[in-house]
Amino acid sequence: VFNADTAELLSHHQVEIKQEFPREGWVEQDPMEILNSVYECVEKTCEKMNELNIDIANIRAIGVTNQRETTVVWDKTTGEPLYNAIVWLDLRTQSTVERLLKRIPGKNKTFSKFKTGLPLSTYFSAVKLRWLLDNVEEIRKAVEDGRAMFGTIDSWLIWSLTGGKNGGIHCTDVTNASRTMLFNIHSLEWDPELCKFFDIPMEILPNVRSSSEIYGLMVCFPVFESGALTGVPISGCLGDQHAALVGQMCFQDGQAKNTYGTGCFLLCNTGQKSVFSEHGLITTIAYKMGKDKPVFYALEGSVAIAGAVVRWLRDNLGIAKTSQEVESLAAEVGTSYGCYFVPAFSGLYAPYWEPSARGIICGLTQFTNKNHIAFAALEAVCFQTREILDAMNKDCGIPLSQLQVDGGMTNNKILMQLQSDILCIPVVKPSMPETTALGAAMAAGAAEGVGVWSLNPGDFTAVTCERFEPQINPEESEYRYARWKKAVLKSMGWETTDSPSNGKPE
């Protein structure tokens, strides 16, 4: 919950959501668990507000932000999901992508780039939805019976929170729609040709709205039988990376931010024109702040694995009990001692779009220990950011003079210093790290009919920031970066689909 006059964070609550990995490369979440976590966060935050003597009747609008591309299909008659949500970094659709590529002249991965801004990849929702229609009998049947609804997580939440099977609103916003591969980012409509290509029935798609308008009103939560926010309008909706761009006030052409979450996402506002990358970035809708407001575009560099590599060191290798411990392990050595880590667990995203890559750790010697591997993992996040920043500088022609950052991982001071060293430019971090939530709140508060939030950056006092300046010489930085790129080449072409059973346990 934010104060609309000062943009300060008043209260918050968070719940970690389980990721399920039913098979190698598969990543799922339970849509009911996601919905219940939202109920729980609302309830707990409202309780905290009462303890702080803030009247929750002052809450004027609700914004939704979500991990993008994650795909859900549910039954509109029962209100229940028909399968787990397939998460954005899931790889099960690799064979679907290859099958679709065969139908494109010259197997051109960028065949839809000028309509959607996106390359054909396992990353986007259309191929996940195609997989569900091909493989889940219940979903096929629900589509035939006219009971199925498709949406990304924002749509699932808005539909459920505005009444679900009793009149819930089935909608999404332009930013989330622009990540499906079914949406034309110029006409701002679902594209009949693309729907035909992926063989997706258009009647299951949500209505596309702007990022800032009243979609519907919150209804009482069945779970808690409490109506803390009943009747409050849900009036903001932005995919998480777009929300962070808004939260960082990047409203000018050329302003950029990098968010360090599960993955890493660098977005640069390109104004009211869509810029198409020559260097492996994707073109996406940045935001549209109202029905009658213009649409703004962005260039985006997406890295699949950032915070997820720290989680992996913690949960899979067990070299640390907490994420903070990974930072202190790295701090103890202050170098990777020639060890390089390419965390291509889900293939490589920008700027390579190479699904056959897999993670590797190289340059190991008998001297290497867990501290060096922890350091190499943090360094990997920074090198991946440098790759997308280099691509962005080439596409935009104006190199960034500093990098604005946000997201959970930015609390890691070692990481932020490393990032500045590897980019050779200052890294600037706002003292309030919840920029994504702030962006969604801004969109909600600025909506017509709510009007409690100004989007003019001059109306807010300057945000207090922490600055990290480069501390190593550029030659050393370049040397390390060149070694990292050598490691990236070694990670490619690892997985081939014609290997026996794909090397995967059946």
Side-chain angles (χ1 to χ4, degrees), residues 72-76 82 142-143 147-151 159 168-170 203-205:
V72 192
V73 180
W74 66 94
D75 184 324
K76 64 178 169 199
L82 293 163
V143 170
R147 290 180 288 117
M149 284 185 162
F150 151 79
W159 184 80
I169 308 289
H170 190 213
E203 60 277 9
I204 71 173
L205 303 177

Side-chain angles (χ1 to χ4, degrees), residues 307-318 341 345 361 373:
V309 71
V310 174
R311 213 180 205 188
W312 181 83
L313 290 175
R314 183 190 74 187
D315 299 347
N316 294 35
L317 284 198
F341 192 156
F345 301 154
I361 302 176
I373 290 172

